Amino acid sequence: MPAKRSYRFGSFELDLVLGELLENGHPVSIQPKPLLLLTHLVKNAGKVVSAQELVDVLWPDVHVSEASLNQAVSRLRTTLGETSRSVVFLETVPRRGYRFRARVVSEGRRPFLVHRHRRFALPAGENILGRGEESVVPIDSPSVSRRHARVVVTTDGAEVEDLGSKNGTFVGGHRIQQAAPLFNGDEIRLGSVRLHFRYIGEESTVTDATDKTG
């Protein structure tokens, strides 16, 4: 089971790989502390999280008052549009803390390369691309070297690096000179061969927190 790297609730998606919040697929501007607050609450959806625990998560090495937490909560509510819509994502539990009460779907994301309408999974670690037998994608083109490039997959994402190929490795139309990070939908070109990098989500759990009592 791949690690859970994405959480969906309502029209929002919290992408932990990219470290960003999306609404209907579009990035939402959110400050670092509200983003960290949202991440912790979503991971504990349906549970009451004490104010002290949230303070410790947001300011682990600094002594702050609860007023700082209240400010972060207020900013998060504004970002999620609670003041302009009827839905309430974040519930205040008097004298106890806060609870994320929306239905949350958590997903794992697995990296793939797509070539000629076929998908090729990229396991963690080094993945060689080229005409050689060790290539994770079968490629038969004179414009591609035997060991043309490699894609390295870690828990933080993926990057591609050229291995001294004759015709170069391109990401998004730009020839790379050093390892370049890969994002969902990126086109990789090896010589004249085009591949597409994809994160394909695998829904793993569904949490309905609306009826939880803590």
Side-chain angles (χ1 to χ4, degrees):
M1 180 71 68
K4 300 177 183 67
R5 307 296 290 171
S6 179
Y7 296 84
R8 291 187 287 109
F9 54 93
S11 58
F12 293 95
E13 179 182 358
L14 177 61
D15 192 321
L16 301 187
V17 173
L18 301 180
E20 66 180 7
L21 179 66
L22 308 171
E23 183 174 17
N24 296 319
H26 300 288
V28 174
S29 178
I30 182 171
Q31 296 178 341
K33 292 301 184 185
L35 177 62
L36 185 57
L37 173 64
L38 176 63
T39 300
H40 192 73
L41 289 171
V42 165
K43 286 182 176 180
N44 292 278
K47 302 177 183 178
V48 177
V49 182
S50 71
Q52 186 58 56
E53 179 178 337
L54 293 173
V55 167
D56 292 342
V57 169
L58 270 64
W59 296 276
D61 302 314
V62 181
H63 177 72
V64 300
S65 68
E66 197 168 319
S68 297
L69 175 61
N70 294 338
Q71 185 178 49
V73 169
S74 178
R75 288 176 176 172
L76 177 56
R77 291 189 192 278
T78 299
T79 299
L80 297 178
E82 286 193 1
T83 57
S84 60
R85 64 182 85 188
S86 59
V87 63
V88 175
F89 295 108
L90 184 56
E91 176 187 6
T92 301
V93 183
R95 296 183 298 278
R96 297 181 62 192
Y98 298 92
R99 171 169 51 203
F100 198 82
R101 62 189 299 263
R103 179 175 179 269
V104 175
V105 179
S106 60
E107 298 179 339
R109 286 191 165 189
R110 296 179 297 166
F112 286 80
L113 284 176
V114 180
H115 178 51
R116 294 181 177 175
H117 307 293
R118 293 180 60 192
R119 297 190 316 193
F120 299 89
L122 296 173
E126 181 182 82
N127 296 271
I128 299 298
L129 301 175
R131 289 188 294 109
E133 294 182 358
E134 62 183 321
S135 177
V136 295
V137 178
I139 298 174
D140 184 15
S141 170
S143 68
V144 176
S145 303
R146 294 188 63 82
R147 285 174 55 90
H148 194 108
R150 66 177 180 177
V151 174
V152 178
V153 177
T154 70
T155 56
D156 295 322
E159 62 180 21
V160 61
E161 180 180 7
D162 187 76
L163 296 178
S165 66
K166 179 180 179 180
N167 294 314
T169 299
F170 299 76
V171 177
H174 301 284
R175 186 166 186 166
I176 62 172
Q177 303 298 329
Q178 57 188 6
L182 290 172
F183 300 99
N184 192 38
D186 277 349
E187 180 188 84
I188 304 171
R189 180 161 61 84
L190 312 178
S192 62
V193 174
R194 299 177 187 275
L195 310 169
H196 287 87
F197 179 79
R198 292 280 190 270
Y199 278 115
I200 300 177
E202 178 179 284
E203 185 172 305
S204 55
T205 62
V206 177
T207 301
D208 190 346
T210 57
D211 297 324
K212 303 289 185 181
T213 59

